[in-house]
Amino acid sequence: METFILIGITGIGLGALYFLVASGLSLIYGLMGVLNFAHGSFLTVGAFVGFWVASKMGFETTIPEFLLAMIIGGLAAGLFALLIEQLLITRLYERHIDQALVTVGVSLVVGAVLGGWFGNDLRMFPTPMWFLTAIDIGGAQIPADRVIYISTAILLLIGNWALLKFTRIGLIIRAGVENRHMVDALGINVRKAFSTVFFLGGFAAGVGGVLVSVYSNGVSPLIAGSYLIYGFIVVVIGGMGSVPGSFLAAMLIGIIKQFANYYATGLGDFVVVILLAVVLLIRPQGLLGKVRA
Amino acid sequence: MLRWKYSRPLLGVVMALLALAPILGDNPLSRPGLQQTMAVAFIWGGLALTYDLLFGFTGLLSFGHALYFATGVYVTCILINHEVVSWWLASLIAIAVSALLALLVGAASLRTTGITFAMVTLAFGEAGHVILERNFFNLTGGENGIALNANLIPQFWISVVNTKYIYWTALAAMALTYAVIWWVTESSAGRVFAALRDNELRVQVLGLNTQRFKLLAFVISAALAALLGDVMLLAAGSAAPRFADAGVTISLLLMVVLGGAVTRWGAVIGGIIYSVATTRMQDLTQQEFFKTIPKLIGGPIAEPAFVLGLLFIFVVMFAPGGLSGAYYKLRLRAITKKSQ
């Protein structure tokens, strides 16, 4: 039973990381139709800025210091995302393939710049000592850092939901995901919604970047790789443009991956891809996705 | 497409020169070093062309093309090393396996279109990459890959003196790929591919099974990629997971976009230049004078991805059509000026 709980909660922790990457991807795709390959570089930028802030505070950080570094990392990634959107994406309005290609270019350049400056070796992220302790849940010893991943993901989900539900810009975003041209035709500035979504997506990815670098024991320009791909899988399984769908799919994938890795040694990735194929065959629009007209 | 009456004879002359270069007395191509570089470049040129068939001609943005290339490399290597069959038969089996795999993966992922298709193919491609890294049944050698047992392939491909045979094999594989893709894209199926790219709905209205044609393009390009994988195995001497990396597909995308899609020769030239450039750039950055440049600028420049990425963004934004597109634009301008 303890192993069961341990694997389950570890899976949820991993799912939380996937969700942080996927939420932005899903909204950006749902609203603008942009397949954002640069999302991985938002994650890396957030991780490096967070690392820089945290290492200013010494080899070890307290929990508030760590949270501060995480938020600053997220903000930096959000601003970077905004910059990319304004500089490149908006100029390729409605050219979806070209937009995807440009983001591939961005991810290459950012990877090369960070690799050139810092090298590709892992650098230890200064984390609070508390992360290394374990919490007893139903007899299982859960690493404490998982709590941070899960609560951050839940906070982001709630924040996202509140923003989409109760604010004017959220209303525009929701309407835009549904039918962007109609919103345009009603004389509402959708561009502002685009920028908001890019900033928020970048913020979530940046926060995710800091947490990923805690999870993988350090920062390097290469940490984003597999998370971006899992982010894509989560978005496809959850349904394009649906943040709750992404949350559901991320948790599902995190848990299934951990259990498969434990009971069928190392088959986790494989099982996830099988799941993807099954979802595509049965429900091509994803779990909570709507059929696009 | 603009036709130039000298283009086919020119193609013949260039191919003949490339083929004869290693035995035409003392020239750069008579040295094994450049022969090896060019052999690898030809493979990339051919591979870029197979990607052009998908991306340029049929409008399928796949991010999992590396999987079929790697299947060619790995299946051939495993069959040879376990002394199952000879190189020739192993290559054919690898091509068949790759086509079959593409049939299965394509059937599932072609249920989606556009950008979703890109994500799904990426996921399948990465799954393949992960499986190769895992070393199941001790077949794929995990992260280190497997070295090709040189005693089990024809002896004329072994040793540095014989690099010219690898050069010729790679050149032949590229030429074969070019011929097949030329034939496919000029055939009636090729017209349907182009129509699918331009307006899928109209093809549907005409009563054609769009899924089946897309699958056909997917399988053909996968089979050809496997063929080039067979040759890559000879050139590299080993099968490694890096051949299945998503980075390979992204490089192919770069080659096709930089060289120019849908012109065939654009993709080939793009692939060859890209391959040679990345090899040479690494040599360049090893040199002494390069170390005097401050790290703030020199660090990124030393990474080929930096320059290529910037160039790529520039081409996508300001010069769609790439190298060959720019050439045709210039020709068109010259022709219209003459007729005025």
mmCIF file with all atom_site columns, all heavy atoms in Angstrom, chain A residues 29 35 101 117 229 232 266 269-270 273 280-281, chain B residues 111 115 122 126-127 131 134 295-296 312 317:
data_model
loop_
_atom_site.group_PDB
_atom_site.id
_atom_site.type_symbol
_atom_site.label_atom_id
_atom_site.label_alt_id
_atom_site.label_comp_id
_atom_site.label_asym_id
_atom_site.label_entity_id
_atom_site.label_seq_id
_atom_site.pdbx_PDB_ins_code
_atom_site.Cartn_x
_atom_site.Cartn_y
_atom_site.Cartn_z
_atom_site.occupancy
_atom_site.B_iso_or_equiv
_atom_site.pdbx_formal_charge
_atom_site.auth_seq_id
_atom_site.auth_comp_id
_atom_site.auth_asym_id
_atom_site.auth_atom_id
_atom_site.pdbx_PDB_model_num
ATOM 1   N N   . TYR A 1 29  ? -2.261  27.441 -28.365 1.00 0.00 ? 29  TYR A N   1
ATOM 2   C CA  . TYR A 1 29  ? -2.750  26.745 -29.544 1.00 0.00 ? 29  TYR A CA  1
ATOM 3   C C   . TYR A 1 29  ? -4.243  27.000 -29.742 1.00 0.00 ? 29  TYR A C   1
ATOM 4   O O   . TYR A 1 29  ? -4.697  27.295 -30.842 1.00 0.00 ? 29  TYR A O   1
ATOM 5   C CB  . TYR A 1 29  ? -2.486  25.236 -29.461 1.00 0.00 ? 29  TYR A CB  1
ATOM 6   C CG  . TYR A 1 29  ? -2.955  24.579 -30.719 1.00 0.00 ? 29  TYR A CG  1
ATOM 7   C CD1 . TYR A 1 29  ? -2.165  24.613 -31.846 1.00 0.00 ? 29  TYR A CD1 1
ATOM 8   C CD2 . TYR A 1 29  ? -4.223  24.031 -30.803 1.00 0.00 ? 29  TYR A CD2 1
ATOM 9   C CE1 . TYR A 1 29  ? -2.617  24.092 -33.031 1.00 0.00 ? 29  TYR A CE1 1
ATOM 10  C CE2 . TYR A 1 29  ? -4.681  23.507 -31.983 1.00 0.00 ? 29  TYR A CE2 1
ATOM 11  C CZ  . TYR A 1 29  ? -3.875  23.531 -33.099 1.00 0.00 ? 29  TYR A CZ  1
ATOM 12  O OH  . TYR A 1 29  ? -4.324  23.029 -34.272 1.00 0.00 ? 29  TYR A OH  1
ATOM 13  N N   . LEU A 1 35  ? 1.584   26.363 -32.894 1.00 0.00 ? 35  LEU A N   1
ATOM 14  C CA  . LEU A 1 35  ? 2.301   25.269 -32.254 1.00 0.00 ? 35  LEU A CA  1
ATOM 15  C C   . LEU A 1 35  ? 3.614   25.852 -31.767 1.00 0.00 ? 35  LEU A C   1
ATOM 16  O O   . LEU A 1 35  ? 4.478   26.202 -32.561 1.00 0.00 ? 35  LEU A O   1
ATOM 17  C CB  . LEU A 1 35  ? 2.570   24.147 -33.257 1.00 0.00 ? 35  LEU A CB  1
ATOM 18  C CG  . LEU A 1 35  ? 3.464   23.013 -32.771 1.00 0.00 ? 35  LEU A CG  1
ATOM 19  C CD1 . LEU A 1 35  ? 2.843   22.328 -31.580 1.00 0.00 ? 35  LEU A CD1 1
ATOM 20  C CD2 . LEU A 1 35  ? 3.683   22.022 -33.879 1.00 0.00 ? 35  LEU A CD2 1
ATOM 21  N N   . LEU A 1 101 ? 7.349   27.285 -37.487 1.00 0.00 ? 101 LEU A N   1
ATOM 22  C CA  . LEU A 1 101 ? 8.748   27.231 -37.916 1.00 0.00 ? 101 LEU A CA  1
ATOM 23  C C   . LEU A 1 101 ? 9.578   28.280 -37.180 1.00 0.00 ? 101 LEU A C   1
ATOM 24  O O   . LEU A 1 101 ? 10.696  28.007 -36.728 1.00 0.00 ? 101 LEU A O   1
ATOM 25  C CB  . LEU A 1 101 ? 8.858   27.453 -39.424 1.00 0.00 ? 101 LEU A CB  1
ATOM 26  C CG  . LEU A 1 101 ? 8.179   26.412 -40.311 1.00 0.00 ? 101 LEU A CG  1
ATOM 27  C CD1 . LEU A 1 101 ? 8.503   26.670 -41.770 1.00 0.00 ? 101 LEU A CD1 1
ATOM 28  C CD2 . LEU A 1 101 ? 8.625   25.021 -39.935 1.00 0.00 ? 101 LEU A CD2 1
ATOM 29  N N   . TRP A 1 117 ? 26.873  30.355 -23.375 1.00 0.00 ? 117 TRP A N   1
ATOM 30  C CA  . TRP A 1 117 ? 27.259  31.122 -22.186 1.00 0.00 ? 117 TRP A CA  1
ATOM 31  C C   . TRP A 1 117 ? 27.555  30.230 -20.990 1.00 0.00 ? 117 TRP A C   1
ATOM 32  O O   . TRP A 1 117 ? 28.528  30.432 -20.280 1.00 0.00 ? 117 TRP A O   1
ATOM 33  C CB  . TRP A 1 117 ? 26.137  32.092 -21.795 1.00 0.00 ? 117 TRP A CB  1
ATOM 34  C CG  . TRP A 1 117 ? 26.055  33.278 -22.700 1.00 0.00 ? 117 TRP A CG  1
ATOM 35  C CD1 . TRP A 1 117 ? 26.989  33.678 -23.609 1.00 0.00 ? 117 TRP A CD1 1
ATOM 36  C CD2 . TRP A 1 117 ? 24.978  34.206 -22.798 1.00 0.00 ? 117 TRP A CD2 1
ATOM 37  N NE1 . TRP A 1 117 ? 26.546  34.811 -24.277 1.00 0.00 ? 117 TRP A NE1 1
ATOM 38  C CE2 . TRP A 1 117 ? 25.328  35.159 -23.790 1.00 0.00 ? 117 TRP A CE2 1
ATOM 39  C CE3 . TRP A 1 117 ? 23.748  34.343 -22.147 1.00 0.00 ? 117 TRP A CE3 1
ATOM 40  C CZ2 . TRP A 1 117 ? 24.493  36.217 -24.149 1.00 0.00 ? 117 TRP A CZ2 1
ATOM 41  C CZ3 . TRP A 1 117 ? 22.921  35.396 -22.493 1.00 0.00 ? 117 TRP A CZ3 1
ATOM 42  C CH2 . TRP A 1 117 ? 23.293  36.326 -23.485 1.00 0.00 ? 117 TRP A CH2 1
ATOM 43  N N   . ILE A 1 229 ? 8.007   17.792 -25.083 1.00 0.00 ? 229 ILE A N   1
ATOM 44  C CA  . ILE A 1 229 ? 7.343   16.721 -25.813 1.00 0.00 ? 229 ILE A CA  1
ATOM 45  C C   . ILE A 1 229 ? 6.168   16.174 -25.009 1.00 0.00 ? 229 ILE A C   1
ATOM 46  O O   . ILE A 1 229 ? 5.071   15.986 -25.530 1.00 0.00 ? 229 ILE A O   1
ATOM 47  C CB  . ILE A 1 229 ? 8.356   15.633 -26.187 1.00 0.00 ? 229 ILE A CB  1
ATOM 48  C CG1 . ILE A 1 229 ? 9.236   16.178 -27.313 1.00 0.00 ? 229 ILE A CG1 1
ATOM 49  C CG2 . ILE A 1 229 ? 7.651   14.372 -26.633 1.00 0.00 ? 229 ILE A CG2 1
ATOM 50  C CD1 . ILE A 1 229 ? 10.534  15.505 -27.470 1.00 0.00 ? 229 ILE A CD1 1
ATOM 51  N N   . PHE A 1 232 ? 3.323   18.531 -25.304 1.00 0.00 ? 232 PHE A N   1
ATOM 52  C CA  . PHE A 1 232 ? 2.543   18.321 -26.523 1.00 0.00 ? 232 PHE A CA  1
ATOM 53  C C   . PHE A 1 232 ? 1.585   17.152 -26.360 1.00 0.00 ? 232 PHE A C   1
ATOM 54  O O   . PHE A 1 232 ? 0.417   17.236 -26.724 1.00 0.00 ? 232 PHE A O   1
ATOM 55  C CB  . PHE A 1 232 ? 3.471   18.054 -27.714 1.00 0.00 ? 232 PHE A CB  1
ATOM 56  C CG  . PHE A 1 232 ? 4.190   19.271 -28.209 1.00 0.00 ? 232 PHE A CG  1
ATOM 57  C CD1 . PHE A 1 232 ? 5.473   19.177 -28.735 1.00 0.00 ? 232 PHE A CD1 1
ATOM 58  C CD2 . PHE A 1 232 ? 3.582   20.511 -28.170 1.00 0.00 ? 232 PHE A CD2 1
ATOM 59  C CE1 . PHE A 1 232 ? 6.134   20.290 -29.197 1.00 0.00 ? 232 PHE A CE1 1
ATOM 60  C CE2 . PHE A 1 232 ? 4.241   21.637 -28.637 1.00 0.00 ? 232 PHE A CE2 1
ATOM 61  C CZ  . PHE A 1 232 ? 5.521   21.523 -29.147 1.00 0.00 ? 232 PHE A CZ  1
ATOM 62  N N   . GLY A 1 266 ? 10.650  0.610  -16.786 1.00 0.00 ? 266 GLY A N   1
ATOM 63  C CA  . GLY A 1 266 ? 11.111  1.482  -17.867 1.00 0.00 ? 266 GLY A CA  1
ATOM 64  C C   . GLY A 1 266 ? 10.186  1.580  -19.059 1.00 0.00 ? 266 GLY A C   1
ATOM 65  O O   . GLY A 1 266 ? 10.534  2.178  -20.061 1.00 0.00 ? 266 GLY A O   1
ATOM 66  N N   . ASP A 1 269 ? 7.379   5.594  -20.886 1.00 0.00 ? 269 ASP A N   1
ATOM 67  C CA  . ASP A 1 269 ? 7.214   6.412  -22.076 1.00 0.00 ? 269 ASP A CA  1
ATOM 68  C C   . ASP A 1 269 ? 6.405   5.680  -23.139 1.00 0.00 ? 269 ASP A C   1
ATOM 69  O O   . ASP A 1 269 ? 5.578   6.248  -23.824 1.00 0.00 ? 269 ASP A O   1
ATOM 70  C CB  . ASP A 1 269 ? 8.582   6.771  -22.661 1.00 0.00 ? 269 ASP A CB  1
ATOM 71  C CG  . ASP A 1 269 ? 9.468   7.426  -21.639 1.00 0.00 ? 269 ASP A CG  1
ATOM 72  O OD1 . ASP A 1 269 ? 9.296   8.623  -21.401 1.00 0.00 ? 269 ASP A OD1 1
ATOM 73  O OD2 . ASP A 1 269 ? 10.316  6.721  -21.068 1.00 0.00 ? 269 ASP A OD2 1
ATOM 74  N N   . PHE A 1 270 ? 6.673   4.396  -23.217 1.00 0.00 ? 270 PHE A N   1
ATOM 75  C CA  . PHE A 1 270 ? 6.027   3.574  -24.227 1.00 0.00 ? 270 PHE A CA  1
ATOM 76  C C   . PHE A 1 270 ? 4.519   3.524  -23.993 1.00 0.00 ? 270 PHE A C   1
ATOM 77  O O   . PHE A 1 270 ? 3.724   3.726  -24.906 1.00 0.00 ? 270 PHE A O   1
ATOM 78  C CB  . PHE A 1 270 ? 6.630   2.172  -24.179 1.00 0.00 ? 270 PHE A CB  1
ATOM 79  C CG  . PHE A 1 270 ? 6.257   1.322  -25.335 1.00 0.00 ? 270 PHE A CG  1
ATOM 80  C CD1 . PHE A 1 270 ? 6.658   1.665  -26.611 1.00 0.00 ? 270 PHE A CD1 1
ATOM 81  C CD2 . PHE A 1 270 ? 5.504   0.176  -25.148 1.00 0.00 ? 270 PHE A CD2 1
ATOM 82  C CE1 . PHE A 1 270 ? 6.308   0.880  -27.692 1.00 0.00 ? 270 PHE A CE1 1
ATOM 83  C CE2 . PHE A 1 270 ? 5.152   -0.612 -26.219 1.00 0.00 ? 270 PHE A CE2 1
ATOM 84  C CZ  . PHE A 1 270 ? 5.558   -0.265 -27.496 1.00 0.00 ? 270 PHE A CZ  1
ATOM 85  N N   . VAL A 1 273 ? 2.747   6.665  -24.995 1.00 0.00 ? 273 VAL A N   1
ATOM 86  C CA  . VAL A 1 273 ? 2.539   6.809  -26.433 1.00 0.00 ? 273 VAL A CA  1
ATOM 87  C C   . VAL A 1 273 ? 1.395   5.916  -26.908 1.00 0.00 ? 273 VAL A C   1
ATOM 88  O O   . VAL A 1 273 ? 0.595   6.300  -27.765 1.00 0.00 ? 273 VAL A O   1
ATOM 89  C CB  . VAL A 1 273 ? 3.842   6.523  -27.206 1.00 0.00 ? 273 VAL A CB  1
ATOM 90  C CG1 . VAL A 1 273 ? 3.572   6.482  -28.696 1.00 0.00 ? 273 VAL A CG1 1
ATOM 91  C CG2 . VAL A 1 273 ? 4.844   7.604  -26.912 1.00 0.00 ? 273 VAL A CG2 1
ATOM 92  N N   . LEU A 1 280 ? -6.188  9.048  -29.837 1.00 0.00 ? 280 LEU A N   1
ATOM 93  C CA  . LEU A 1 280 ? -6.353  9.575  -31.193 1.00 0.00 ? 280 LEU A CA  1
ATOM 94  C C   . LEU A 1 280 ? -7.330  8.752  -32.001 1.00 0.00 ? 280 LEU A C   1
ATOM 95  O O   . LEU A 1 280 ? -8.091  9.283  -32.807 1.00 0.00 ? 280 LEU A O   1
ATOM 96  C CB  . LEU A 1 280 ? -5.006  9.586  -31.913 1.00 0.00 ? 280 LEU A CB  1
ATOM 97  C CG  . LEU A 1 280 ? -4.094  10.734 -31.558 1.00 0.00 ? 280 LEU A CG  1
ATOM 98  C CD1 . LEU A 1 280 ? -2.768  10.548 -32.235 1.00 0.00 ? 280 LEU A CD1 1
ATOM 99  C CD2 . LEU A 1 280 ? -4.721  12.038 -31.986 1.00 0.00 ? 280 LEU A CD2 1
ATOM 100 N N   . LEU A 1 281 ? -7.301  7.435  -31.784 1.00 0.00 ? 281 LEU A N   1
ATOM 101 C CA  . LEU A 1 281 ? -8.176  6.578  -32.571 1.00 0.00 ? 281 LEU A CA  1
ATOM 102 C C   . LEU A 1 281 ? -9.619  6.701  -32.110 1.00 0.00 ? 281 LEU A C   1
ATOM 103 O O   . LEU A 1 281 ? -10.540 6.689  -32.915 1.00 0.00 ? 281 LEU A O   1
ATOM 104 C CB  . LEU A 1 281 ? -7.707  5.118  -32.479 1.00 0.00 ? 281 LEU A CB  1
ATOM 105 C CG  . LEU A 1 281 ? -6.402  4.828  -33.207 1.00 0.00 ? 281 LEU A CG  1
ATOM 106 C CD1 . LEU A 1 281 ? -5.909  3.436  -32.926 1.00 0.00 ? 281 LEU A CD1 1
ATOM 107 C CD2 . LEU A 1 281 ? -6.577  5.022  -34.703 1.00 0.00 ? 281 LEU A CD2 1
ATOM 108 N N   . ARG B 2 111 ? -5.091  10.739 -38.634 1.00 0.00 ? 111 ARG B N   1
ATOM 109 C CA  . ARG B 2 111 ? -6.458  11.075 -38.223 1.00 0.00 ? 111 ARG B CA  1
ATOM 110 C C   . ARG B 2 111 ? -6.524  12.527 -37.779 1.00 0.00 ? 111 ARG B C   1
ATOM 111 O O   . ARG B 2 111 ? -7.605  13.094 -37.674 1.00 0.00 ? 111 ARG B O   1
ATOM 112 C CB  . ARG B 2 111 ? -6.903  10.166 -37.080 1.00 0.00 ? 111 ARG B CB  1
ATOM 113 C CG  . ARG B 2 111 ? -7.167  8.750  -37.526 1.00 0.00 ? 111 ARG B CG  1
ATOM 114 C CD  . ARG B 2 111 ? -7.480  7.871  -36.345 1.00 0.00 ? 111 ARG B CD  1
ATOM 115 N NE  . ARG B 2 111 ? -8.711  8.235  -35.676 1.00 0.00 ? 111 ARG B NE  1
ATOM 116 C CZ  . ARG B 2 111 ? -9.901  7.789  -36.034 1.00 0.00 ? 111 ARG B CZ  1
ATOM 117 N NH1 . ARG B 2 111 ? -10.014 6.986  -37.066 1.00 0.00 ? 111 ARG B NH1 1
ATOM 118 N NH2 . ARG B 2 111 ? -10.979 8.145  -35.376 1.00 0.00 ? 111 ARG B NH2 1
ATOM 119 N N   . ILE B 2 115 ? -1.396  21.230 -37.365 1.00 0.00 ? 115 ILE B N   1
ATOM 120 C CA  . ILE B 2 115 ? -0.491  21.375 -36.249 1.00 0.00 ? 115 ILE B CA  1
ATOM 121 C C   . ILE B 2 115 ? -0.593  20.183 -35.287 1.00 0.00 ? 115 ILE B C   1
ATOM 122 O O   . ILE B 2 115 ? 0.405   19.733 -34.741 1.00 0.00 ? 115 ILE B O   1
ATOM 123 C CB  . ILE B 2 115 ? -0.801  22.702 -35.519 1.00 0.00 ? 115 ILE B CB  1
ATOM 124 C CG1 . ILE B 2 115 ? -0.507  23.886 -36.442 1.00 0.00 ? 115 ILE B CG1 1
ATOM 125 C CG2 . ILE B 2 115 ? -0.022  22.826 -34.250 1.00 0.00 ? 115 ILE B CG2 1
ATOM 126 C CD1 . ILE B 2 115 ? 0.934   24.041 -36.820 1.00 0.00 ? 115 ILE B CD1 1
ATOM 127 N N   . LEU B 2 122 ? 5.580   13.993 -33.595 1.00 0.00 ? 122 LEU B N   1
ATOM 128 C CA  . LEU B 2 122 ? 6.697   14.244 -32.673 1.00 0.00 ? 122 LEU B CA  1
ATOM 129 C C   . LEU B 2 122 ? 6.672   13.239 -31.531 1.00 0.00 ? 122 LEU B C   1
ATOM 130 O O   . LEU B 2 122 ? 7.699   12.661 -31.165 1.00 0.00 ? 122 LEU B O   1
ATOM 131 C CB  . LEU B 2 122 ? 6.600   15.667 -32.134 1.00 0.00 ? 122 LEU B CB  1
ATOM 132 C CG  . LEU B 2 122 ? 7.648   16.066 -31.110 1.00 0.00 ? 122 LEU B CG  1
ATOM 133 C CD1 . LEU B 2 122 ? 8.999   16.249 -31.785 1.00 0.00 ? 122 LEU B CD1 1
ATOM 134 C CD2 . LEU B 2 122 ? 7.271   17.335 -30.398 1.00 0.00 ? 122 LEU B CD2 1
ATOM 135 N N   . GLU B 2 126 ? 9.559   10.537 -30.762 1.00 0.00 ? 126 GLU B N   1
ATOM 136 C CA  . GLU B 2 126 ? 10.312  10.528 -29.505 1.00 0.00 ? 126 GLU B CA  1
ATOM 137 C C   . GLU B 2 126 ? 10.181  9.194  -28.796 1.00 0.00 ? 126 GLU B C   1
ATOM 138 O O   . GLU B 2 126 ? 11.114  8.719  -28.151 1.00 0.00 ? 126 GLU B O   1
ATOM 139 C CB  . GLU B 2 126 ? 9.824   11.656 -28.588 1.00 0.00 ? 126 GLU B CB  1
ATOM 140 C CG  . GLU B 2 126 ? 10.578  12.942 -28.760 1.00 0.00 ? 126 GLU B CG  1
ATOM 141 C CD  . GLU B 2 126 ? 12.089  12.763 -28.775 1.00 0.00 ? 126 GLU B CD  1
ATOM 142 O OE1 . GLU B 2 126 ? 12.681  12.555 -27.708 1.00 0.00 ? 126 GLU B OE1 1
ATOM 143 O OE2 . GLU B 2 126 ? 12.685  12.821 -29.862 1.00 0.00 ? 126 GLU B OE2 1
ATOM 144 N N   . ALA B 2 127 ? 8.993   8.578  -28.919 1.00 0.00 ? 127 ALA B N   1
ATOM 145 C CA  . ALA B 2 127 ? 8.813   7.255  -28.319 1.00 0.00 ? 127 ALA B CA  1
ATOM 146 C C   . ALA B 2 127 ? 9.820   6.281  -28.915 1.00 0.00 ? 127 ALA B C   1
ATOM 147 O O   . ALA B 2 127 ? 10.454  5.496  -28.197 1.00 0.00 ? 127 ALA B O   1
ATOM 148 C CB  . ALA B 2 127 ? 7.392   6.765  -28.541 1.00 0.00 ? 127 ALA B CB  1
ATOM 149 N N   . ILE B 2 131 ? 12.744  4.226  -26.981 1.00 0.00 ? 131 ILE B N   1
ATOM 150 C CA  . ILE B 2 131 ? 12.846  2.760  -27.049 1.00 0.00 ? 131 ILE B CA  1
ATOM 151 C C   . ILE B 2 131 ? 14.262  2.354  -27.469 1.00 0.00 ? 131 ILE B C   1
ATOM 152 O O   . ILE B 2 131 ? 14.849  1.428  -26.911 1.00 0.00 ? 131 ILE B O   1
ATOM 153 C CB  . ILE B 2 131 ? 11.791  2.201  -28.022 1.00 0.00 ? 131 ILE B CB  1
ATOM 154 C CG1 . ILE B 2 131 ? 10.412  2.346  -27.387 1.00 0.00 ? 131 ILE B CG1 1
ATOM 155 C CG2 . ILE B 2 131 ? 12.065  0.733  -28.351 1.00 0.00 ? 131 ILE B CG2 1
ATOM 156 C CD1 . ILE B 2 131 ? 9.268   2.036  -28.310 1.00 0.00 ? 131 ILE B CD1 1
ATOM 157 N N   . ARG B 2 134 ? 16.657  2.467  -24.633 1.00 0.00 ? 134 ARG B N   1
ATOM 158 C CA  . ARG B 2 134 ? 16.400  1.566  -23.509 1.00 0.00 ? 134 ARG B CA  1
ATOM 159 C C   . ARG B 2 134 ? 17.082  0.206  -23.639 1.00 0.00 ? 134 ARG B C   1
ATOM 160 O O   . ARG B 2 134 ? 17.135  -0.555 -22.691 1.00 0.00 ? 134 ARG B O   1
ATOM 161 C CB  . ARG B 2 134 ? 14.894  1.337  -23.350 1.00 0.00 ? 134 ARG B CB  1
ATOM 162 C CG  . ARG B 2 134 ? 14.163  2.494  -22.734 1.00 0.00 ? 134 ARG B CG  1
ATOM 163 C CD  . ARG B 2 134 ? 14.484  2.625  -21.249 1.00 0.00 ? 134 ARG B CD  1
ATOM 164 N NE  . ARG B 2 134 ? 14.320  3.997  -20.815 1.00 0.00 ? 134 ARG B NE  1
ATOM 165 C CZ  . ARG B 2 134 ? 13.149  4.575  -20.618 1.00 0.00 ? 134 ARG B CZ  1
ATOM 166 N NH1 . ARG B 2 134 ? 12.041  3.895  -20.788 1.00 0.00 ? 134 ARG B NH1 1
ATOM 167 N NH2 . ARG B 2 134 ? 13.089  5.829  -20.258 1.00 0.00 ? 134 ARG B NH2 1
ATOM 168 N N   . LYS B 2 295 ? 33.487  35.642 -24.572 1.00 0.00 ? 295 LYS B N   1
ATOM 169 C CA  . LYS B 2 295 ? 32.549  34.523 -24.493 1.00 0.00 ? 295 LYS B CA  1
ATOM 170 C C   . LYS B 2 295 ? 31.105  34.967 -24.705 1.00 0.00 ? 295 LYS B C   1
ATOM 171 O O   . LYS B 2 295 ? 30.276  34.206 -25.192 1.00 0.00 ? 295 LYS B O   1
ATOM 172 C CB  . LYS B 2 295 ? 32.690  33.839 -23.125 1.00 0.00 ? 295 LYS B CB  1
ATOM 173 C CG  . LYS B 2 295 ? 32.209  32.395 -23.178 1.00 0.00 ? 295 LYS B CG  1
ATOM 174 C CD  . LYS B 2 295 ? 32.351  31.697 -21.856 1.00 0.00 ? 295 LYS B CD  1
ATOM 175 C CE  . LYS B 2 295 ? 31.755  30.309 -21.956 1.00 0.00 ? 295 LYS B CE  1
ATOM 176 N NZ  . LYS B 2 295 ? 31.417  29.750 -20.675 1.00 0.00 ? 295 LYS B NZ  1
ATOM 177 N N   . LEU B 2 296 ? 30.837  36.237 -24.341 1.00 0.00 ? 296 LEU B N   1
ATOM 178 C CA  . LEU B 2 296 ? 29.473  36.751 -24.470 1.00 0.00 ? 296 LEU B CA  1
ATOM 179 C C   . LEU B 2 296 ? 28.972  36.624 -25.907 1.00 0.00 ? 296 LEU B C   1
ATOM 180 O O   . LEU B 2 296 ? 27.818  36.329 -26.156 1.00 0.00 ? 296 LEU B O   1
ATOM 181 C CB  . LEU B 2 296 ? 29.454  38.227 -24.046 1.00 0.00 ? 296 LEU B CB  1
ATOM 182 C CG  . LEU B 2 296 ? 28.087  38.830 -23.792 1.00 0.00 ? 296 LEU B CG  1
ATOM 183 C CD1 . LEU B 2 296 ? 27.423  38.195 -22.597 1.00 0.00 ? 296 LEU B CD1 1
ATOM 184 C CD2 . LEU B 2 296 ? 28.208  40.340 -23.597 1.00 0.00 ? 296 LEU B CD2 1
ATOM 185 N N   . PHE B 2 312 ? 17.452  30.807 -40.211 1.00 0.00 ? 312 PHE B N   1
ATOM 186 C CA  . PHE B 2 312 ? 16.166  30.146 -40.413 1.00 0.00 ? 312 PHE B CA  1
ATOM 187 C C   . PHE B 2 312 ? 15.018  31.120 -40.152 1.00 0.00 ? 312 PHE B C   1
ATOM 188 O O   . PHE B 2 312 ? 14.095  31.262 -40.958 1.00 0.00 ? 312 PHE B O   1
ATOM 189 C CB  . PHE B 2 312 ? 16.102  28.942 -39.469 1.00 0.00 ? 312 PHE B CB  1
ATOM 190 C CG  . PHE B 2 312 ? 14.851  28.142 -39.558 1.00 0.00 ? 312 PHE B CG  1
ATOM 191 C CD1 . PHE B 2 312 ? 14.595  27.360 -40.670 1.00 0.00 ? 312 PHE B CD1 1
ATOM 192 C CD2 . PHE B 2 312 ? 13.936  28.138 -38.526 1.00 0.00 ? 312 PHE B CD2 1
ATOM 193 C CE1 . PHE B 2 312 ? 13.451  26.597 -40.748 1.00 0.00 ? 312 PHE B CE1 1
ATOM 194 C CE2 . PHE B 2 312 ? 12.788  27.375 -38.596 1.00 0.00 ? 312 PHE B CE2 1
ATOM 195 C CZ  . PHE B 2 312 ? 12.547  26.610 -39.711 1.00 0.00 ? 312 PHE B CZ  1
ATOM 196 N N   . MET B 2 317 ? 10.674  34.506 -42.189 1.00 0.00 ? 317 MET B N   1
ATOM 197 C CA  . MET B 2 317 ? 9.959   35.764 -42.087 1.00 0.00 ? 317 MET B CA  1
ATOM 198 C C   . MET B 2 317 ? 10.053  36.607 -43.345 1.00 0.00 ? 317 MET B C   1
ATOM 199 O O   . MET B 2 317 ? 9.081   37.220 -43.769 1.00 0.00 ? 317 MET B O   1
ATOM 200 C CB  . MET B 2 317 ? 10.463  36.568 -40.887 1.00 0.00 ? 317 MET B CB  1
ATOM 201 C CG  . MET B 2 317 ? 10.218  35.830 -39.603 1.00 0.00 ? 317 MET B CG  1
ATOM 202 S SD  . MET B 2 317 ? 9.995   36.871 -38.189 1.00 0.00 ? 317 MET B SD  1
ATOM 203 C CE  . MET B 2 317 ? 8.662   37.895 -38.647 1.00 0.00 ? 317 MET B CE  1
#
